[in-house]
Amino acid sequence: MITGKNYIGNKQSASGDKTYRTFNPQLNVENTPVFTEATPEEIDEAVTLASYAFKTFRNTSGEKKATFLNAIADEILALDDVLIQTYCSETGLPEGRAKGERGRTVGQLRSFADLVKEGSWVEAAIDTAQPERQPMPRSDIRKMLVPLGPVVVFGASNFPLAYSTAGGDTAAAFAAGCPVLVKSHPMHAGTGELVASAILKAAEKIGMPNGVFSNLNSSGIEVGQQLVKHPGVKAVGFTGSIRGGRALYDIAAQREEPIPVFAEMGSVNPVIILPEALKNRQKDLAKTYAGSITLGTGQFCTNPGLLLAIKGENLSNFIQNLSNEILKIEPAVMLHPNIISAYESNKQKAISQPEITVTANYESAVKTNYAKQTVATVSGKTFLENSTLHQEVFGPYSIVVQCENAEELETIISKLEGQLTGTLIADAGEASKYSKVIAALQNRVGRVIFNGVPTGVEVCPSMVHGGPYPSSTDSRFTAVGIHAIKRWVRPFSYQDWPNSLLPNELKNENPLQISRLINNKQTKSGI
Ligand code: NAP
């Protein structure tokens, strides 16, 4: 049952007087539950509890953390229909999407469970002592990754499960040994509370310390800002807009003790269509891209918001086909009235720039909260000169840039802000003629796609979901896949430490049987 209260550790609390409700965009009504925003005192209590919990959670074995993560997955599944119905009522997204996202969330939790159960992720490195070394003896030095401390997680409006309460950031932080404080997203606070209850049930069953997890309601930016400023918080995970991520990054940098903020933010995900592909496949490409631009009503961080090609008859035909195809697609509901009004105003701002031509704009009447898809086009020169056109319009919108030639294409790509993805559409043998364009693209993005679409992020160890700023605040890390754990740890060395006092990961006998780098040789052997 949804209570609307905060979880301060395993205690429910609602001592504040600021309340709010979530919204059903399909029905255009507020949902029934009333949520109470966390007070400064409740936030302080939650962070203090997390700091205490860290003292034991940091030393919890990989095996026990794996049991905890799997138990969270089980408890989420046990929420069954209540969770799915709440998700749908708070987002307008269909049941199939809710179930798919739940599967992904559960899969993420289980993959981190496997990682920490096996244990080698700590990157143990051991350099044994060399007492006879000349001119100086060498000490025994042993290194491994250790958790940072309490982590604050902000989820995004468009992924209530996979990038929110028990999403990738939370799963990775628990796997690392960090307590988590979730700043609940106000648009899906009910979904968030249900998932929080699943986490806390699992924590209680497995005997995790109280404070390993808290869920704090908020209807505005204050709760999140207070959390990031709190001295007990040691890192932040954020998924959302560039404006939000940057604001929190700046707050974290101005603290007396600055802390890392791993923000995954917006992106226009450039797609380059090379001339031969354009000539031979423009009809298919137009259909595929009409689908990708409108997928999930354009509410994906990997939405293709920018298509680039060299101008000519083939490109003109492609634009016409894309416009025709996109207008055949039925408009769909967006997540919230605020998101649709931001979409309409950002789109208006983009298409009212000088020398822009709108080639498709859904004209018929649509239901309240439904988005009208739009395609616009512009010359390469105008695009280069006007940075407003480079900004993300979150929704079913894309702009096609008609470049003069390959040099202009390369210049545009190299002047783009950092992006999550870049896509190259090319026919056989064509790509090798555009090596400079490809190199420029690789320099601006975290993932390149060949002859596909950027929408859809596979969860696997080889995935990079992140990229140069502003697609993320730290392009050295991925937010998706098991390597996302590295955001929540730091390297730590023991010098001449007695074997009995070392953690199991670094003991001579290698009781966990993990892979370690011993005197520059990777091995599972003991010493
Ligand atoms: P959002 O408006 O930035 O909100 C995200 C969270 O941050 C919310 O909890 C919000 O709280 C909080 N927040 C925003 N500004 C803040 C500030 N100045 N100070 C403190 N807290 C702040 O984003 P959204 O609408 O949820 O998500 C849509 C955006 O996320 C799109 O730009 C999309 O591209 C991006 N996104 C990126 C990824 C990725 O993996 N890179 C994935 C999904 C979405 P309040 O709502 O209470 O203000």
Side-chain angles (χ1 to χ4, degrees), residues 157-158 183 185-186 220 225 238-241 244 264-265 301 392 465:
S157 59
N158 58 340
K183 199 296 267 182
H185 200 296
Q225 296 192 341
F238 173 92
T239 308
S241 62
E264 295 300 319
M265 303 179 284
C301 48
E392 178 190 47
H465 190 62

Side-chain angles (χ1 to χ4, degrees), residues 273-325:
I273 311 179
L274 293 183
E276 285 299 308
L278 199 59
K279 188 171 91 190
N280 299 329
R281 289 190 276 143
Q282 49 160 284
K283 279 202 170 151
D284 286 349
L285 288 169
K287 203 166 181 181
T288 304
Y289 268 88
S292 180
I293 293 164
T294 53
L295 190 71
T297 330
Q299 300 168 117
F300 285 119
C301 48
T302 50
N303 189 261
L306 174 64
L307 310 182
L308 303 123
I310 296 169
K311 74 177 190 186
E313 198 187 332
N314 292 326
L315 181 54
S316 302
N317 291 339
F318 169 76
I319 295 170
Q320 190 56 53
N321 286 326
L322 176 66
S323 303
N324 294 343
E325 289 295 338

Side-chain angles (χ1 to χ4, degrees), residues 177-197:
C178 298
V180 173
L181 301 123
V182 165
K183 199 296 267 182
S184 164
H185 200 296
M187 290 187 199
H188 46 71
T191 307
E193 186 189 320
L194 289 172
V195 175
S197 72

Side-chain angles (χ1 to χ4, degrees), residues 88-161:
C88 296
S89 75
E90 291 185 329
T91 60
L93 293 168
E95 206 174 294
R97 160 73 196 269
K99 287 183 174 162
E101 200 183 320
R102 181 183 59 185
R104 178 178 167 147
T105 308
V106 163
Q108 287 175 165
L109 287 158
R110 298 207 195 283
S111 68
F112 279 109
D114 291 345
L115 181 78
V116 293
K117 191 170 180 190
E118 193 282 330
S120 303
W121 72 274
V122 297
E123 292 177 3
I126 299 174
D127 293 293
T128 51
Q130 293 176 0
E132 313 302 331
R133 190 180 72 171
Q134 291 300 327
M136 295 268 287
R138 183 174 84 179
S139 292
D140 179 290
I141 305 176
R142 304 182 182 214
K143 182 184 82 171
M144 64 180 278
L145 301 175
V146 298
L148 286 177
V151 169
V152 170
V153 171
F154 292 75
S157 59
N158 58 340
F159 277 98
L161 295 174

